[in-house]
Amino acid sequence: MAVPSRALACGLVALALAGALAAGEPPVDPTAPFSPASIQWDFANGLLSRGLCVEATEQYGLFLETYPTDPRATLARLWRGEAFYRQDKFAEAARDLYAFLTKAPPLDKIE
């Protein structure tokens, strides 16, 4: 008897989930759309885009504390620096912008 493709697909998904659960916590891609890092990143960006600079600096700081090795950490320094700048907190802005400039890839390497 042939197994319908939908039933086969459901069975394969169930086996994959069972295997992942048996192996422990699956690794999470920090740049996946619904990962905790991406949610935090989007939240901070949304605050900055709405002009809520105090809140944005707090959220970018939390992002940097929680996800220091995330590929977007260097950009978080840039945007937090901008948020500080908009608040006239020039020393803090300069610190983050300097960190961005020293850690960012050369402009010809950015896609």
Side-chain angles (χ1 to χ4, degrees), residues 20-93:
L21 291 173
E25 188 94 11
V28 176
D29 175 7
T31 59
F34 297 108
S35 71
S38 289
I39 292 169
Q40 180 73 40
W41 175 255
D42 291 342
F43 184 56
N45 287 337
L47 291 168
L48 183 61
S49 70
R50 288 171 181 78
L52 301 171
C53 296
V54 172
E55 295 83 357
T57 56
E58 293 170 359
Q59 293 305 314
Y60 283 121
L62 183 60
F63 180 86
L64 288 165
E65 287 176 25
T66 309
Y67 310 104
T69 59
D70 187 281
R72 298 164 291 196
T74 302
L75 279 176
R77 293 230 180 253
L78 169 66
W79 300 128
R80 186 172 71 169
E82 181 180 335
F84 277 132
Y85 183 84
R86 289 184 189 181
Q87 298 172 65
D88 296 332
K89 295 184 176 182
F90 301 118
E92 293 90 340

